[in-house]
Amino acid sequence: MTRDGVAGFQRAIARRFGLTVLPAGAVVLAWALSRHAERASTVGVLVLLALCVVVAAGLIDGRLLALRHGIALALGFVTVLVATAVVFSGDTESVFSLFFFWCVPVGFGLLPLRPALALLGLMAAAFGAALLSLGGEPDRLLIWFAVVVSTGVVGGLLRSLSGSARDAEEHFSRAFEGSPLGMVAADLNLRVTRVNPALCAFLGRSESELVDGFVADYSHPADMAENVLLHRAMVESGGTAYDMEKRYVRGDGSIVWGHLRVSLVRDDRGRPRSLHAQIEDISTRRLAEEALDMRVRHGEAAAELGRIALSAPGVEQLAERAAGVIVERLEVDSCAVMAVDGDELQMLGGCGSNTGRRLGERWLMRPRSLGRLALDHDGPIAVDIRGGEIEASAEMLASETQTALSVSVDGCDGPLGVLTVFSVALREFSAEESDFLHVVANVMGSAIERAAREADAIHRALHDPLTGLPNRDLFADRLEKTLARVRRGGSRPAVLIADLDQFKLINDSLGHPAGDELLRLLAPRLAGALRATDTVARFGGDEFVVLCDGVEDEAHAMALASRLAAVLEAPVDVAGTQVVVSASVGVSVAEPGSDVESLVRDADAALYRAKARGRGRCALFDAALRAEVTERLDLETTLRAALASGALALHYQPVVDLATGVPRAFEALMRWTHPERGSVAPDEFIPIAEESGLIVPMGRWALHEACRFATSPAGAGLPISVNLAARQLAYPGLVADVESALDAAGLEPGHLWLELTESALLDDDDAPLATLNELKALGVRLVIDDFGTGYSSLAYLQRFPLDALKVDRAFVSQMTEDGRAAALVQAVVTMTRALGLQVIPEGIETEAQRDALLELGCTYGQGYLFGRPAPAGELEPEPAAV
């Protein structure tokens, strides 16, 4: 039972006792006066009656409960009153003696043990005195003994029953006072009646400040309305308790959080009488929850900014959004996001009414390191971003700014900018707020780096990595836009393709790094020679392409081409060597209906013509060249159809023993008969096949046909020689094609001679060498064709695994008329013998040429003197000796 329950129990007993004492005492005294007036003192009886009324009234309203000794005196008075009634009545067995049976036991139930025993002693003495006054008969002694014993027994039983209530009261009092939780008792009007030390410590107030005050005096006003509503609902609805979390105001004005648990105390009739509450200090938890909630909300905001950043808006738009979020979340006046731009800070975005006025200019960043953001309206503003101090004039900040916080926007390689918040009010930024700014700064840093990477990727995708010039894709895009403008009535553009002459010679003589350096040096020279509206690009190798926007006519375009070629001819210092290069330039001018592909193709055709005319020439794509290109395109289309339909053929020319004229081998030569033009010379269709890539399947077909011929009766078991173009040598499947042709025909590898031109070997030093080594490993023989028409370098004769070389017909045809030609042939024969190679002169047409070659020591030869190329069926079975 609670303390309030014990008090209620005591009041109930006292009230019933008082209600009994008042009428009973009045009746007893009235009866005694009326029956024994002569024996009674009227004044004494009236005094006793008045005392009886006072004591009864005090017991009824409970005022005497707080005075235990007063209760004992009151009960003792009633005992004397009853004893007086017994004396007056003269009857020891009257009902008045029964008052002892309820008067003394009540004392045992309400009083501590000593006053209760004193009351029992008083009752025994008073009752004994009353009996003695009436006479000392033995039966009266027995009555006295029975009354005293029975009263003591009843009082003991009543005390035993009421002891649990007293124990509960003492336990409650100890629990109330010693509870670690704040404890408070209050009436129904929320007036405090009792508090414990824990509550005083929680609220930072003394007991005297709290008791007799109201709960609202120390509750946070924002939470008191809810508290009152819950209290009213509990009282009016018959509830027993309610819970809530609320804020309290401590004595020093600080705010603490408590978990309030309120219980309603009712009286013995079930009516609400008082309140009992306990308050648990939850300030730490609530602060942690608020901090966590703030971090969560800040995290959500940062995550949202991250999602916005990933949706690829511009960095400026993201900076504006980030500044707006910061101003809203941190309740500051303005925010600015700035990025490092060289030695300055460039405004990316901001939010706030004064941001533009504060940060409308660029801030100078100097490589010094001071402290964090410092505001001094009489001097400069300094912001430290990892060793880089940002300074600005004081005018750039509004004079009302009192507080600012700056964090660095960092990237992987250092600071990228700074994020600054400004506040008019003086304030402290919490760790969570600072962390939030750093998170947003990290988002901005990632966005800036991602934008830079994307810009770099786009730049690399659209620019040549060696020279930094636009590449083919960017050039095509700009040309397409220019042509679209032309279709709407703009001026005509021209396309110029410049190709360096003998660039390969520079690579071969000075090395590829020197060639790359030359291209890097020529790129800005080309760009500087053009107009601002023109575009120069590199398509690869030593080929540069220029878009000249708005040329007046073909003559204007050719003048630009000549200027371009002249610019390239200026000496260049490459690897410590003065290099002079020339360039061939092809020019095409847009016509109605021109597109990107046709303009570039036409300029390339013009370049082909310029190179055919010699070095350092410029050529314009005109009607004649267009007809030539059209014809070449027609030939390519028809040639492709001829390959598919089997319209190509091989003719065979013997390679003979010069002394006897007996064939020692055959050379397979490709022939084509056009369905309309008739026989087409190899010099016409072979270059077309090489440019279009048809030479690879044509060469594969020629290998198989030639190997089958070599194993046929017409081949007479002699070796067969097949020409390889440069494009075939660069084809990765060449070795597999050769193996397939040998296997299909059953031809020994040593009976297959593969003829290569000097240019095929000099296009690339490494790839041909690897391929030739593989072919040599198969057992085939390798021959240089048309020796003397190319570079005729001794270096490659020694480098490559060659077996023989053929001297070009141009030298053989002149050797009998020109002594220098004869000397050259003699030098070649001597050189090849020294290298262990076999010499096969070509184009022998006269007996004098044959005799001269025999004198030089040549064994084999080839030419019309011994036989013209012919189909396999037209070859003479056994050529006659010459």
Side-chain angles (χ1 to χ4, degrees):
M1 184 180 296
T2 65
R3 174 183 174 86
D4 288 339
V6 172
F9 175 73
Q10 291 178 335
R11 275 192 291 270
I13 294 177
R15 188 176 295 111
R16 286 164 175 73
F17 180 60
L19 291 175
T20 303
V21 167
L22 184 61
V27 170
V28 167
L29 293 178
W31 175 79
L33 288 175
S34 62
R35 189 172 179 184
H36 306 286
E38 68 282 1
R39 298 176 57 189
S41 171
T42 303
V43 175
V45 171
L46 291 177
V47 170
L48 288 175
L49 181 59
L51 291 176
C52 180
V53 172
V54 171
V55 171
L59 291 174
I60 291 173
D61 65 10
R63 282 179 291 179
L64 294 180
L65 283 177
L67 302 174
R68 293 187 174 184
H69 295 287
I71 294 174
L73 292 175
L75 292 177
F77 163 73
V78 173
T79 300
V80 173
L81 178 65
V82 172
T84 303
V86 171
V87 172
F88 286 166
S89 65
D91 185 1
T92 58
E93 298 178 358
S94 68
V95 294
F96 302 110
S97 62
L98 298 179
F99 276 98
F100 292 108
F101 289 96
W102 59 264
C103 182
V104 174
V106 166
F108 274 84
L110 295 177
L111 300 175
L113 181 59
R114 288 183 180 181
L117 292 176
L119 180 62
L120 179 61
L122 178 62
M123 181 275 296
F127 188 56
L131 292 179
L132 288 176
S133 67
L134 297 177
E137 291 85 352
D139 56 340
R140 292 179 178 172
L141 180 60
L142 183 61
I143 292 173
W144 176 84
F145 180 78
V147 169
V148 172
V149 171
S150 60
T151 301
V153 171
V154 173
L157 292 175
L158 184 58
R159 183 174 185 83
S160 176
L161 292 175
S162 63
S164 59
R166 284 192 301 273
D167 293 342
E169 178 184 357
E170 294 176 0
H171 175 74
F172 170 80
S173 181
R174 288 194 299 269
F176 187 94
E177 298 296 330
S179 173
L181 302 180
M183 306 291 286
V184 59
D187 59 21
L188 296 181
N189 295 320
L190 300 182
R191 183 176 62 85
V192 178
T193 59
R194 185 179 181 183
V195 295
N196 72 339
L199 183 68
C200 295
F202 172 64
L203 295 177
R205 300 170 185 265
S206 65
E207 181 178 0
S208 60
E209 291 179 88
L210 297 174
V211 174
D212 291 331
F214 289 88
V215 172
D217 296 341
Y218 52 85
S219 295
H220 194 284
D223 297 335
M224 196 58 209
E226 180 185 0
N227 198 165
V228 171
L229 288 176
L230 291 174
H231 171 68
R232 289 177 179 175
M234 178 183 68
V235 173
E236 295 173 1
S237 65
T240 59
Y242 66 84
D243 289 85
M244 69 173 297
E245 292 184 356
K246 58 180 289 189
R247 287 163 291 181
Y248 294 91
V249 181
R250 289 174 53 86
D252 57 5
S254 61
I255 304 300
V256 289
W257 277 91
H259 178 271
L260 175 65
R261 171 71 176 177
V262 180
S263 299
L264 182 63
V265 178
R266 298 178 181 275
D267 61 15
D268 55 334
R269 298 182 182 180
R271 293 174 300 184
R273 186 173 61 226
S274 61
L275 302 174
H276 171 247
Q278 62 182 21
I279 303 173
E280 178 185 2
D281 185 358
I282 59 170
S283 301
T284 302
R285 175 175 65 81
R286 284 301 298 249
L287 290 176
E289 289 175 353
E290 289 177 357
L292 177 60
D293 180 62
M294 179 179 293
R295 287 194 295 269
V296 169
R297 288 187 288 108
H298 288 172
E300 291 173 349
E304 179 63 22
L305 289 175
R307 287 191 290 271
I308 294 173
L310 292 177
S311 65
V315 175
E316 292 80 6
Q317 292 89 335
L318 179 62
E320 293 286 343
R321 293 287 297 273
V325 169
I326 290 172
V327 168
E328 177 185 355
R329 295 285 179 177
L330 302 190
E331 298 181 355
V332 293
D333 294 288
S334 59
C335 174
V337 183
M338 294 165 285
V340 175
D341 182 11
D343 290 336
E344 298 179 325
L345 280 180
Q346 178 64 48
M347 182 74 172
L348 281 181
C351 181
S353 58
N354 294 321
T355 302
R357 181 158 62 91
R358 292 172 181 154
L359 304 168
E361 305 174 22
R362 294 161 69 88
W363 287 19
L364 175 65
M365 184 181 72
R366 301 195 301 188
R368 293 191 303 160
S369 178
L370 293 179
R372 56 179 297 178
L373 181 70
L375 292 181
D376 182 359
H377 294 298
D378 296 325
I381 298 100
V383 184
D384 175 36
I385 54 170
R386 282 194 181 172
E389 179 200 344
I390 306 160
E391 289 193 352
S393 61
E395 306 84 73
M396 299 180 68
L397 289 177
S399 60
E400 67 270 16
T401 299
Q402 298 293 325
T403 309
L405 177 64
S406 179
V407 298
S408 175
V409 177
D410 294 327
C412 296
D413 299 324
L416 301 174
V418 64
L419 187 156
T420 307
V421 294
F422 302 92
S423 175
V424 172
L426 286 172
R427 58 170 293 177
E428 290 287 337
F429 289 96
S430 66
E432 290 78 10
E433 291 173 326
S434 178
D435 291 344
F436 175 59
L437 287 179
H438 279 92
V439 170
V440 176
N442 290 338
V443 172
M444 287 303 309
S446 298
I448 293 173
E449 285 192 326
R450 180 174 58 82
R453 288 194 301 269
E454 291 175 353
D456 181 64
I458 292 174
H459 183 274
R460 286 187 283 107
L462 297 176
H463 290 78
D464 173 53
L466 178 63
T467 63
L469 295 175
N471 62 11
R472 184 185 300 268
D473 293 334
L474 181 55
F475 180 87
D477 179 71
R478 292 183 179 177
L479 180 55
E480 177 62 40
K481 292 177 180 177
T482 302
L483 290 175
R485 189 173 63 253
V486 170
R487 298 185 192 104
R488 296 192 297 267
S491 57
R492 294 191 298 169
V495 173
L496 285 61
I497 299 182
D499 187 86
L500 301 181
D501 299 322
Q502 294 184 325
F503 178 70
K504 183 170 180 53
L505 181 60
I506 297 175
N507 275 337
D508 293 340
S509 58
L510 299 179
H512 287 282
D516 290 343
E517 183 180 355
L518 174 63
L519 294 175
R520 282 193 295 268
L521 293 173
L522 291 179
R525 182 185 293 184
L526 282 171
L530 299 174
R531 301 168 300 176
T533 56
D534 297 337
T535 298
V536 58
R538 179 176 178 240
F539 274 19
D542 59 343
E543 190 173 79
F544 296 92
V545 185
V546 179
L547 167 61
C548 296
D549 190 9
V551 297
E552 299 173 2
D553 50 26
E554 285 78 2
H556 185 198
M558 288 297 290
L560 292 174
S562 298
R563 187 172 71 183
L564 195 66
V567 166
L568 292 174
E569 288 178 354
V572 182
D573 187 2
V574 178
T577 303
Q578 284 286 328
V579 175
V580 178
V581 297
S582 61
S584 299
V585 183
V587 181
S588 65
V589 180
E591 298 289 345
S594 295
D595 56 21
V596 173
E597 183 178 354
S598 64
L599 266 178
V600 174
R601 184 184 64 239
D602 293 348
D604 193 57
L607 174 65
Y608 185 82
R609 172 186 280 183
K611 280 188 168 293
R613 293 176 178 176
R615 300 173 185 171
R617 301 295 183 92
C618 299
L620 177 68
F621 186 85
D622 53 16
L625 186 54
R626 186 182 304 278
E628 180 182 333
V629 170
T630 302
E631 182 180 1
R632 288 173 63 88
L633 181 60
D634 176 68
L635 284 177
E636 178 186 336
T637 303
T638 311
L639 180 60
R640 193 179 299 274
L643 175 62
S645 63
L648 297 176
L650 290 183
H651 287 195
Y652 301 93
Q653 184 180 30
V655 178
V656 302
D657 187 324
L658 290 178
T660 63
V662 176
R664 297 303 182 188
F666 288 98
E667 180 181 359
L669 301 168
M670 193 173 295
R671 295 294 184 264
W672 176 37
T673 301
H674 192 278
E676 297 176 358
R677 297 175 52 182
S679 179
V680 181
D683 290 345
E684 290 187 60
F685 73 84
I686 292 298
I688 295 175
E690 290 191 20
E691 291 176 11
S692 64
L694 283 172
I695 195 65
V696 173
M698 289 169 59
R700 187 183 301 117
W701 168 82
L703 278 170
H704 282 266
E705 286 294 312
C707 289
R708 279 196 295 269
F709 167 79
T711 56
S712 70
L718 297 178
I720 186 69
S721 180
V722 180
N723 291 282
L724 288 181
R727 193 150 186 174
Q728 284 179 275
L729 190 60
Y731 174 60
L734 174 63
V735 177
D737 288 346
V738 172
E739 286 186 289
S740 175
L742 292 171
D743 293 341
L747 181 66
E748 291 294 328
H751 277 61
L752 177 61
W753 297 2
L754 298 178
E755 297 189 21
L756 310 106
T757 62
E758 292 178 80
S759 60
L761 297 179
L762 296 176
D763 281 345
D764 193 319
D765 286 343
D766 296 329
L769 178 59
T771 303
L772 294 179
N773 285 332
E774 291 186 55
L775 292 172
K776 193 67 177 176
L778 289 179
V780 302
R781 302 190 68 190
L782 303 177
V783 181
I784 292 296
D785 192 18
D786 298 332
F787 184 80
T789 59
Y791 297 104
S792 304
S793 172
L794 296 179
Y796 76 77
L797 292 179
Q798 185 178 11
R799 178 177 175 81
F800 295 108
L802 304 174
D803 296 291
L805 60 83
K806 288 186 174 183
V807 181
D808 187 77
R809 69 182 66 248
F811 300 105
V812 174
S813 64
Q814 298 292 325
M815 63 180 300
T816 56
E817 289 85 11
D818 188 347
R820 289 178 299 178
L824 179 60
V825 174
Q826 183 178 6
V828 171
V829 171
T830 303
M831 174 189 67
T832 53
R833 283 180 176 174
L835 293 174
L837 303 178
Q838 189 175 21
V839 180
I840 304 175
E842 294 183 298
I844 305 172
E845 297 182 357
T846 66
E847 291 289 346
Q849 293 170 355
R850 184 191 71 162
D851 293 341
L853 291 170
L854 283 173
E855 290 181 5
L856 293 177
C858 293
T859 304
Y860 297 115
Q862 184 178 354
Y864 288 168
L865 178 63
F866 309 107
R868 291 178 178 273
E874 298 179 11
L875 293 175
E876 295 182 8
E878 186 65 37
V882 180

